[in-house]
C-alpha cells in the first residue's frame, strides 16, 4: 500500500535527525592563556599579577567564551587596601562570561545590554548584583554594575587589547568597576592545622617530615591560604622511601618535600578533567631548576608522572578551597635528584601483508597506508552525513510542495 505524504515526510525527518546524530562532533575551541596574552603589555602587569594571585586566571582559562576588562597599573591602585579574597570578588566583575569584541560593543542593539560576570556565574553574588550593564551613548561605551549606587561613576571603554573572535576578548577600561557587594569584607578562611589533618588521615609519617623541616613547614603554611594543593605519600610509601630519604643532603630533603606542594588550588574534579604540567613549591625555591611534573588522568584515575616515578592519587585527605590535600601511593621523586627512568620503546608490530611488487620500502610503507586510511575514515562519515542530510532535505522540500 502506498504511504501517505505526511508519513513520508515524518520518516524523512527522522532519517535526517539520525544522520545528524551520527555526524562527528565539532572540534573544541582553542584554549587561550590570559596571563600569556597580557604578559607583553607592561601597563597591565599589576592586573595580570592579581589575576594569578586570586586564581582568577585559572578560571578564565577554563572558559571558551569570555571578555576580560583590564585596567592599567595606575587604576589598580584603587584596590591596594582590600584583602586578596575581596580583590578576587571585585576583579570577578571584570570578567564577563560572554564575548564582547570592539565591533560588537559599537553595534549594541538598543544601545545597551547586560552581561553576567564571573562574580555572578560562580554564585558569589546575590540576586542580580553580579551583572554588568554595558551602555553605548554618543559613540562612547561604558560599564557599570547592576547594584551600583548613585555616586558610582561608570568605567569607560578605552580600547581593544587583544581579540580572538568569539573565544576571548581583552579590553581596557578606564577604572575599577564598582560594586558594594563585591567590595564587602570577606572573612579569612578558617585556620587549618596541616600536621593534624595529615596525621588523622593516611599521612602521619609525611606530616612528621614536614614539621621537622622548618623551611618547608613555613613555606607550606604561608602558601595554603592563597592556594595550595599538597600531595602526601601514605605511610607505607614513606616507609618504602625512608632509607633513600635518610641519605639525601639537607638541601635535597627540603627540595623533595617542597616538590609535593603545588602553589595553586585544584579540586579533585579539576585534576580529573585536566592533563598538563604543574610547577611546585620547589620550583620557586630553586630558581635554576625545573622541579615540575605531569598530572595525567584516565577515567577516574589521576597520576603524577615525574619521569622517575609514577604515583597515583588514592584518596582525598582534605578539600577546603583554597587548600586541597590528596594521598598518593608513592613518594614523589624529582628528575633533578634521581635518575630518569626512560619509557621502553614500543615493540614493532609484525606486518600482516607481504610487500607488493614494485612497491619500495617495507613495514613503514604499510604503516603510512594505514595512517592514510585512518584519515580517510574520519572524513568519510562526515561527508556521507552531509550528503544524506542534503538529499533528505531536498526530498522533504519536494514532497512538501506536492499536492
Amino acid at each position: 500500500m502506498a504511504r501517505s505524504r505526511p508519513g513520508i515526510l515524518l520518516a524523512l525527518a527522522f532519517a535526517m535527525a539520525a544522520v545528524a546524530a551520527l555526524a562527528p562532533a565539532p572540534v573544541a575551541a582553542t584554549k587561550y592563556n590570559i596571563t600569556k596574552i597580557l604578559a607583553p603589555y607592561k601597563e597591565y602587569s599589576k592586573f595580570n599579577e592579581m589575576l594569578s594571585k586570586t586564581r582568577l586566571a585559572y578560571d578564565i582559562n577554563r572558559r571558551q567564551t569570555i571578555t576580560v576588562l583590564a585596567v592599567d597599573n595606575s587604576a589598580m591602585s584603587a584596590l591596594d587596601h582590600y584583602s586578596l579574597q575581596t580583590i578576587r570578588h571585585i576583579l570577578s566583575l571584570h570578567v564577563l562570561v560572554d564575548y564582547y569584541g570592539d565591533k560588537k560593543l559599537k553595534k549594541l542593539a538598543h544601545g545597551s545590554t547586560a552581561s553576567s560576570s564571573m562574580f555572578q556565574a560562580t554564585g558569589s553574588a546575590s540576586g542580580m548584583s553580579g551583572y554588568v550593564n554595558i551602555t553605548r551613548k554618543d559613540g562612547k561605551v561604558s560599564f557599570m554594575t547592576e547594584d551600583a549606587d548613585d555616586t558610582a561613576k561608570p568605567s569607560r571603554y578605552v580600547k581593544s587589547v587583544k581579540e580572538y573572535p568569539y573565544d576571548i576578548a581583552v579590553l581596557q577600561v578606564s577604572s575599577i568597576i564598582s560594586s558594594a557587594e563585591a567590595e564587602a569584607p570577606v572573612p579569612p578562611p578558617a585556620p587549618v592545622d596541616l600536621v593534624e589533618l595529615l596525621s588523622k588521615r593516611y599521612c602521619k609519617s609525611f606530616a612528621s617530615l614536614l614539621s621537622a623541616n622548618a623551611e618547608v613547614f613555613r613555606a607550606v603554611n604561608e602558601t595554603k591560604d592563597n592556594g595550595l594543593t599538597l600531595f602526601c605519600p601514605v605511610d607505607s610509601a614513606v616507609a618504602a622511601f625512608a632509607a633513600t630519604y635518610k641519605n639525601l643532603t639537607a638541601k635535597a630533603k627540603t627540595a623533595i618535600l617542597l616538590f609535593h606542594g603545588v602553589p595553586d588550588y585544584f579540586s579533585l574534579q579539576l585534576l580529573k578533567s585536566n592533563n598538563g604540567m604543574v610547577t611546585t613549591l620547589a620550583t620557586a625555591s630553586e630558581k635554576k631548576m625545573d622541579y615540575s611534573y605531569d598530572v595525567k588522568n584516565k577515567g577516574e584515575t589521576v597520576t603524577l608522572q615525574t619521569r622517575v616515578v609514577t604515583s597515583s592519587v588514592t584518596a582525598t585527605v582534605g578539600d577546603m578551597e583554597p587548600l586541597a590535600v590528596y594521598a598518593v601511593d608513592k613518594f614523589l621523586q624529582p628528575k633533578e635528584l634521581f635518575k630518569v627512568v626512560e619509557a621502553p620503546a614500543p615493540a614493532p608490530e609484525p606486518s600482516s601483508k607481504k610487500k607488493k611488487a614494485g612497491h619500495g620500502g617495507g613495514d613503514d610503507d604499510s604503516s603510512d597506508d594505514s595512517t592514510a586510511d585512518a584519515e580517510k575514515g574520519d572524513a568519510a562519515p562526515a561527508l556521507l552525513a552531509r550528503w544524506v542530510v542534503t538529499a533528505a532535505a531536498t526530498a522533504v522540500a519536494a514532497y512538501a510542495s506536492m499536492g
Side-chain angles (χ1 to χ4, degrees), residues 46 50 73-88 90 176-180 182-186:
K46 290 184 179 180
M50 275 302 170
N73 294 338
S74 61
M76 283 294 292
S77 61
L79 301 179
D80 288 347
H81 61 287
Y82 292 110
S83 69
L84 190 65
Q85 188 58 39
T86 299
I87 292 175
R88 175 183 167 85
I90 295 171
I176 293 296
I177 298 174
S178 175
S179 166
E183 294 172 4
V186 179

PDB file of all heavy atoms in Angstrom, residues 46 50 73-88 90 176-180 182-186:
ATOM      1  N   LYS A  46      50.170  44.797  36.855  1.00  0.00           N
ATOM      2  CA  LYS A  46      49.561  44.621  38.176  1.00  0.00           C
ATOM      3  C   LYS A  46      48.229  43.881  38.062  1.00  0.00           C
ATOM      4  O   LYS A  46      47.906  43.028  38.897  1.00  0.00           O
ATOM      5  CB  LYS A  46      49.360  45.980  38.848  1.00  0.00           C
ATOM      6  CG  LYS A  46      50.660  46.655  39.273  1.00  0.00           C
ATOM      7  CD  LYS A  46      50.386  47.957  40.013  1.00  0.00           C
ATOM      8  CE  LYS A  46      51.688  48.620  40.455  1.00  0.00           C
ATOM      9  NZ  LYS A  46      51.427  49.900  41.177  1.00  0.00           N
ATOM     10  N   MET A  50      47.497  40.146  39.698  1.00  0.00           N
ATOM     11  CA  MET A  50      46.377  39.856  40.588  1.00  0.00           C
ATOM     12  C   MET A  50      45.463  38.753  40.050  1.00  0.00           C
ATOM     13  O   MET A  50      44.842  38.025  40.814  1.00  0.00           O
ATOM     14  CB  MET A  50      45.568  41.129  40.848  1.00  0.00           C
ATOM     15  CG  MET A  50      46.132  41.976  41.967  1.00  0.00           C
ATOM     16  SD  MET A  50      46.220  41.044  43.519  1.00  0.00           S
ATOM     17  CE  MET A  50      47.166  42.162  44.533  1.00  0.00           C
ATOM     18  N   ASN A  73      48.012  49.947  35.351  1.00  0.00           N
ATOM     19  CA  ASN A  73      48.630  49.896  36.674  1.00  0.00           C
ATOM     20  C   ASN A  73      48.164  51.029  37.588  1.00  0.00           C
ATOM     21  O   ASN A  73      47.980  50.822  38.792  1.00  0.00           O
ATOM     22  CB  ASN A  73      50.152  49.925  36.530  1.00  0.00           C
ATOM     23  CG  ASN A  73      50.676  48.669  35.853  1.00  0.00           C
ATOM     24  OD1 ASN A  73      50.015  47.637  35.855  1.00  0.00           O
ATOM     25  ND2 ASN A  73      51.849  48.740  35.254  1.00  0.00           N
ATOM     26  N   SER A  74      47.969  52.205  37.040  1.00  0.00           N
ATOM     27  CA  SER A  74      47.533  53.328  37.876  1.00  0.00           C
ATOM     28  C   SER A  74      46.131  53.099  38.434  1.00  0.00           C
ATOM     29  O   SER A  74      45.851  53.418  39.599  1.00  0.00           O
ATOM     30  CB  SER A  74      47.587  54.637  37.084  1.00  0.00           C
ATOM     31  OG  SER A  74      46.720  54.576  35.956  1.00  0.00           O
ATOM     32  N   ALA A  75      45.239  52.525  37.631  1.00  0.00           N
ATOM     33  CA  ALA A  75      43.874  52.252  38.099  1.00  0.00           C
ATOM     34  C   ALA A  75      43.844  51.155  39.155  1.00  0.00           C
ATOM     35  O   ALA A  75      42.964  51.144  40.027  1.00  0.00           O
ATOM     36  CB  ALA A  75      42.987  51.869  36.914  1.00  0.00           C
ATOM     37  N   MET A  76      44.803  50.232  39.111  1.00  0.00           N
ATOM     38  CA  MET A  76      44.845  49.128  40.075  1.00  0.00           C
ATOM     39  C   MET A  76      45.124  49.610  41.494  1.00  0.00           C
ATOM     40  O   MET A  76      44.847  48.898  42.459  1.00  0.00           O
ATOM     41  CB  MET A  76      45.903  48.114  39.655  1.00  0.00           C
ATOM     42  CG  MET A  76      45.483  47.200  38.518  1.00  0.00           C
ATOM     43  SD  MET A  76      44.122  46.089  38.966  1.00  0.00           S
ATOM     44  CE  MET A  76      44.919  45.016  40.152  1.00  0.00           C
ATOM     45  N   SER A  77      45.651  50.804  41.648  1.00  0.00           N
ATOM     46  CA  SER A  77      45.955  51.320  42.986  1.00  0.00           C
ATOM     47  C   SER A  77      44.689  51.470  43.835  1.00  0.00           C
ATOM     48  O   SER A  77      44.758  51.507  45.064  1.00  0.00           O
ATOM     49  CB  SER A  77      46.678  52.668  42.881  1.00  0.00           C
ATOM     50  OG  SER A  77      45.857  53.631  42.233  1.00  0.00           O
ATOM     51  N   ALA A  78      43.541  51.518  43.202  1.00  0.00           N
ATOM     52  CA  ALA A  78      42.271  51.619  43.930  1.00  0.00           C
ATOM     53  C   ALA A  78      41.983  50.375  44.767  1.00  0.00           C
ATOM     54  O   ALA A  78      41.121  50.393  45.659  1.00  0.00           O
ATOM     55  CB  ALA A  78      41.122  51.859  42.950  1.00  0.00           C
ATOM     56  N   LEU A  79      42.697  49.278  44.507  1.00  0.00           N
ATOM     57  CA  LEU A  79      42.464  48.024  45.225  1.00  0.00           C
ATOM     58  C   LEU A  79      43.470  47.775  46.340  1.00  0.00           C
ATOM     59  O   LEU A  79      43.395  46.748  47.026  1.00  0.00           O
ATOM     60  CB  LEU A  79      42.522  46.843  44.238  1.00  0.00           C
ATOM     61  CG  LEU A  79      41.525  46.867  43.074  1.00  0.00           C
ATOM     62  CD1 LEU A  79      41.735  45.652  42.178  1.00  0.00           C
ATOM     63  CD2 LEU A  79      40.096  46.907  43.591  1.00  0.00           C
ATOM     64  N   ASP A  80      44.390  48.699  46.551  1.00  0.00           N
ATOM     65  CA  ASP A  80      45.501  48.457  47.480  1.00  0.00           C
ATOM     66  C   ASP A  80      45.055  48.129  48.900  1.00  0.00           C
ATOM     67  O   ASP A  80      45.737  47.379  49.606  1.00  0.00           O
ATOM     68  CB  ASP A  80      46.438  49.670  47.509  1.00  0.00           C
ATOM     69  CG  ASP A  80      47.261  49.804  46.235  1.00  0.00           C
ATOM     70  OD1 ASP A  80      47.282  48.827  45.458  1.00  0.00           O
ATOM     71  OD2 ASP A  80      47.866  50.871  46.020  1.00  0.00           O
ATOM     72  N   HIS A  81      43.931  48.665  49.359  1.00  0.00           N
ATOM     73  CA  HIS A  81      43.533  48.480  50.754  1.00  0.00           C
ATOM     74  C   HIS A  81      42.588  47.292  50.969  1.00  0.00           C
ATOM     75  O   HIS A  81      42.114  47.071  52.093  1.00  0.00           O
ATOM     76  CB  HIS A  81      42.866  49.767  51.286  1.00  0.00           C
ATOM     77  CG  HIS A  81      41.632  50.146  50.540  1.00  0.00           C
ATOM     78  ND1 HIS A  81      41.650  50.669  49.258  1.00  0.00           N
ATOM     79  CD2 HIS A  81      40.316  50.092  50.901  1.00  0.00           C
ATOM     80  CE1 HIS A  81      40.422  50.920  48.859  1.00  0.00           C
ATOM     81  NE2 HIS A  81      39.595  50.577  49.833  1.00  0.00           N
ATOM     82  N   TYR A  82      42.328  46.505  49.919  1.00  0.00           N
ATOM     83  CA  TYR A  82      41.432  45.355  50.058  1.00  0.00           C
ATOM     84  C   TYR A  82      42.209  44.061  50.300  1.00  0.00           C
ATOM     85  O   TYR A  82      43.367  43.934  49.898  1.00  0.00           O
ATOM     86  CB  TYR A  82      40.571  45.179  48.810  1.00  0.00           C
ATOM     87  CG  TYR A  82      39.555  46.273  48.590  1.00  0.00           C
ATOM     88  CD1 TYR A  82      39.693  47.182  47.539  1.00  0.00           C
ATOM     89  CD2 TYR A  82      38.441  46.384  49.418  1.00  0.00           C
ATOM     90  CE1 TYR A  82      38.752  48.187  47.322  1.00  0.00           C
ATOM     91  CE2 TYR A  82      37.495  47.382  49.209  1.00  0.00           C
ATOM     92  CZ  TYR A  82      37.666  48.279  48.162  1.00  0.00           C
ATOM     93  OH  TYR A  82      36.740  49.262  47.962  1.00  0.00           O
ATOM     94  N   SER A  83      41.542  43.092  50.930  1.00  0.00           N
ATOM     95  CA  SER A  83      42.140  41.764  51.111  1.00  0.00           C
ATOM     96  C   SER A  83      42.142  41.023  49.778  1.00  0.00           C
ATOM     97  O   SER A  83      41.428  41.403  48.836  1.00  0.00           O
ATOM     98  CB  SER A  83      41.339  40.960  52.140  1.00  0.00           C
ATOM     99  OG  SER A  83      40.048  40.627  51.611  1.00  0.00           O
ATOM    100  N   LEU A  84      42.918  39.956  49.706  1.00  0.00           N
ATOM    101  CA  LEU A  84      43.044  39.207  48.453  1.00  0.00           C
ATOM    102  C   LEU A  84      41.701  38.614  48.022  1.00  0.00           C
ATOM    103  O   LEU A  84      41.362  38.638  46.832  1.00  0.00           O
ATOM    104  CB  LEU A  84      44.092  38.100  48.613  1.00  0.00           C
ATOM    105  CG  LEU A  84      44.511  37.391  47.328  1.00  0.00           C
ATOM    106  CD1 LEU A  84      45.219  38.347  46.381  1.00  0.00           C
ATOM    107  CD2 LEU A  84      45.433  36.202  47.642  1.00  0.00           C
ATOM    108  N   GLN A  85      40.936  38.101  48.973  1.00  0.00           N
ATOM    109  CA  GLN A  85      39.653  37.487  48.619  1.00  0.00           C
ATOM    110  C   GLN A  85      38.663  38.530  48.114  1.00  0.00           C
ATOM    111  O   GLN A  85      37.887  38.293  47.184  1.00  0.00           O
ATOM    112  CB  GLN A  85      39.064  36.738  49.817  1.00  0.00           C
ATOM    113  CG  GLN A  85      37.823  35.911  49.501  1.00  0.00           C
ATOM    114  CD  GLN A  85      38.056  34.860  48.427  1.00  0.00           C
ATOM    115  OE1 GLN A  85      39.105  34.232  48.391  1.00  0.00           O
ATOM    116  NE2 GLN A  85      37.092  34.675  47.547  1.00  0.00           N
ATOM    117  N   THR A  86      38.702  39.744  48.715  1.00  0.00           N
ATOM    118  CA  THR A  86      37.825  40.819  48.247  1.00  0.00           C
ATOM    119  C   THR A  86      38.251  41.288  46.853  1.00  0.00           C
ATOM    120  O   THR A  86      37.400  41.557  45.994  1.00  0.00           O
ATOM    121  CB  THR A  86      37.850  42.005  49.230  1.00  0.00           C
ATOM    122  OG1 THR A  86      37.380  41.547  50.513  1.00  0.00           O
ATOM    123  CG2 THR A  86      36.953  43.134  48.755  1.00  0.00           C
ATOM    124  N   ILE A  87      39.562  41.351  46.622  1.00  0.00           N
ATOM    125  CA  ILE A  87      40.064  41.717  45.289  1.00  0.00           C
ATOM    126  C   ILE A  87      39.589  40.697  44.260  1.00  0.00           C
ATOM    127  O   ILE A  87      39.229  41.056  43.138  1.00  0.00           O
ATOM    128  CB  ILE A  87      41.605  41.811  45.296  1.00  0.00           C
ATOM    129  CG1 ILE A  87      42.049  43.009  46.148  1.00  0.00           C
ATOM    130  CG2 ILE A  87      42.146  41.961  43.871  1.00  0.00           C
ATOM    131  CD1 ILE A  87      43.554  43.115  46.320  1.00  0.00           C
ATOM    132  N   ARG A  88      39.558  39.444  44.650  1.00  0.00           N
ATOM    133  CA  ARG A  88      39.045  38.414  43.724  1.00  0.00           C
ATOM    134  C   ARG A  88      37.604  38.711  43.346  1.00  0.00           C
ATOM    135  O   ARG A  88      37.221  38.615  42.175  1.00  0.00           O
ATOM    136  CB  ARG A  88      39.169  37.025  44.361  1.00  0.00           C
ATOM    137  CG  ARG A  88      38.552  35.920  43.498  1.00  0.00           C
ATOM    138  CD  ARG A  88      38.605  34.559  44.170  1.00  0.00           C
ATOM    139  NE  ARG A  88      37.751  33.612  43.485  1.00  0.00           N
ATOM    140  CZ  ARG A  88      38.088  32.888  42.422  1.00  0.00           C
ATOM    141  NH1 ARG A  88      39.285  32.995  41.900  1.00  0.00           N
ATOM    142  NH2 ARG A  88      37.248  32.054  41.871  1.00  0.00           N
ATOM    143  N   ILE A  90      36.048  41.627  43.380  1.00  0.00           N
ATOM    144  CA  ILE A  90      35.976  42.844  42.556  1.00  0.00           C
ATOM    145  C   ILE A  90      36.418  42.553  41.125  1.00  0.00           C
ATOM    146  O   ILE A  90      35.754  42.947  40.156  1.00  0.00           O
ATOM    147  CB  ILE A  90      36.836  43.961  43.178  1.00  0.00           C
ATOM    148  CG1 ILE A  90      36.268  44.373  44.542  1.00  0.00           C
ATOM    149  CG2 ILE A  90      36.908  45.170  42.241  1.00  0.00           C
ATOM    150  CD1 ILE A  90      37.146  45.314  45.332  1.00  0.00           C
ATOM    151  N   ILE A 176      38.370  50.796  37.887  1.00  0.00           N
ATOM    152  CA  ILE A 176      37.805  49.614  38.531  1.00  0.00           C
ATOM    153  C   ILE A 176      36.287  49.727  38.559  1.00  0.00           C
ATOM    154  O   ILE A 176      35.734  50.782  38.908  1.00  0.00           O
ATOM    155  CB  ILE A 176      38.345  49.474  39.973  1.00  0.00           C
ATOM    156  CG1 ILE A 176      39.856  49.169  39.960  1.00  0.00           C
ATOM    157  CG2 ILE A 176      37.599  48.388  40.726  1.00  0.00           C
ATOM    158  CD1 ILE A 176      40.218  47.838  39.328  1.00  0.00           C
ATOM    159  N   ILE A 177      35.608  48.664  38.177  1.00  0.00           N
ATOM    160  CA  ILE A 177      34.147  48.639  38.189  1.00  0.00           C
ATOM    161  C   ILE A 177      33.676  48.478  39.625  1.00  0.00           C
ATOM    162  O   ILE A 177      34.096  47.547  40.324  1.00  0.00           O
ATOM    163  CB  ILE A 177      33.616  47.505  37.293  1.00  0.00           C
ATOM    164  CG1 ILE A 177      34.044  47.741  35.840  1.00  0.00           C
ATOM    165  CG2 ILE A 177      32.101  47.397  37.386  1.00  0.00           C
ATOM    166  CD1 ILE A 177      33.704  46.615  34.892  1.00  0.00           C
ATOM    167  N   SER A 178      32.823  49.391  40.070  1.00  0.00           N
ATOM    168  CA  SER A 178      32.425  49.447  41.478  1.00  0.00           C
ATOM    169  C   SER A 178      31.210  48.577  41.781  1.00  0.00           C
ATOM    170  O   SER A 178      30.280  48.482  40.980  1.00  0.00           O
ATOM    171  CB  SER A 178      32.122  50.903  41.854  1.00  0.00           C
ATOM    172  OG  SER A 178      31.634  50.991  43.167  1.00  0.00           O
ATOM    173  N   SER A 179      31.256  47.918  42.938  1.00  0.00           N
ATOM    174  CA  SER A 179      30.111  47.141  43.401  1.00  0.00           C
ATOM    175  C   SER A 179      30.187  47.035  44.918  1.00  0.00           C
ATOM    176  O   SER A 179      31.192  46.582  45.467  1.00  0.00           O
ATOM    177  CB  SER A 179      30.113  45.740  42.790  1.00  0.00           C
ATOM    178  OG  SER A 179      29.203  44.892  43.457  1.00  0.00           O
ATOM    179  N   ALA A 180      29.139  47.475  45.595  1.00  0.00           N
ATOM    180  CA  ALA A 180      29.126  47.438  47.060  1.00  0.00           C
ATOM    181  C   ALA A 180      29.252  46.011  47.579  1.00  0.00           C
ATOM    182  O   ALA A 180      29.962  45.747  48.556  1.00  0.00           O
ATOM    183  CB  ALA A 180      27.838  48.083  47.579  1.00  0.00           C
ATOM    184  N   ALA A 182      30.605  43.304  46.000  1.00  0.00           N
ATOM    185  CA  ALA A 182      31.924  42.735  45.715  1.00  0.00           C
ATOM    186  C   ALA A 182      32.987  43.318  46.636  1.00  0.00           C
ATOM    187  O   ALA A 182      33.949  42.633  46.995  1.00  0.00           O
ATOM    188  CB  ALA A 182      32.300  42.985  44.257  1.00  0.00           C
ATOM    189  N   GLU A 183      32.818  44.575  47.029  1.00  0.00           N
ATOM    190  CA  GLU A 183      33.799  45.242  47.874  1.00  0.00           C
ATOM    191  C   GLU A 183      33.621  44.939  49.362  1.00  0.00           C
ATOM    192  O   GLU A 183      34.452  45.334  50.192  1.00  0.00           O
ATOM    193  CB  GLU A 183      33.727  46.756  47.659  1.00  0.00           C
ATOM    194  CG  GLU A 183      34.158  47.192  46.269  1.00  0.00           C
ATOM    195  CD  GLU A 183      33.890  48.672  46.016  1.00  0.00           C
ATOM    196  OE1 GLU A 183      33.434  49.352  46.959  1.00  0.00           O
ATOM    197  OE2 GLU A 183      34.144  49.134  44.883  1.00  0.00           O
ATOM    198  N   ALA A 184      32.552  44.254  49.717  1.00  0.00           N
ATOM    199  CA  ALA A 184      32.294  43.935  51.124  1.00  0.00           C
ATOM    200  C   ALA A 184      33.413  43.050  51.682  1.00  0.00           C
ATOM    201  O   ALA A 184      33.941  42.179  50.977  1.00  0.00           O
ATOM    202  CB  ALA A 184      30.950  43.230  51.257  1.00  0.00           C
ATOM    203  N   PRO A 185      33.814  43.253  52.935  1.00  0.00           N
ATOM    204  CA  PRO A 185      34.888  42.435  53.531  1.00  0.00           C
ATOM    205  C   PRO A 185      34.534  40.948  53.504  1.00  0.00           C
ATOM    206  O   PRO A 185      33.380  40.559  53.733  1.00  0.00           O
ATOM    207  CB  PRO A 185      34.963  42.947  54.974  1.00  0.00           C
ATOM    208  CG  PRO A 185      34.372  44.322  54.928  1.00  0.00           C
ATOM    209  CD  PRO A 185      33.315  44.270  53.872  1.00  0.00           C
ATOM    210  N   VAL A 186      35.534  40.140  53.194  1.00  0.00           N
ATOM    211  CA  VAL A 186      35.357  38.687  53.154  1.00  0.00           C
ATOM    212  C   VAL A 186      36.122  38.079  54.324  1.00  0.00           C
ATOM    213  O   VAL A 186      37.319  38.352  54.480  1.00  0.00           O
ATOM    214  CB  VAL A 186      35.884  38.099  51.825  1.00  0.00           C
ATOM    215  CG1 VAL A 186      35.711  36.584  51.809  1.00  0.00           C
ATOM    216  CG2 VAL A 186      35.162  38.730  50.647  1.00  0.00           C
TER     217      VAL A 186
END
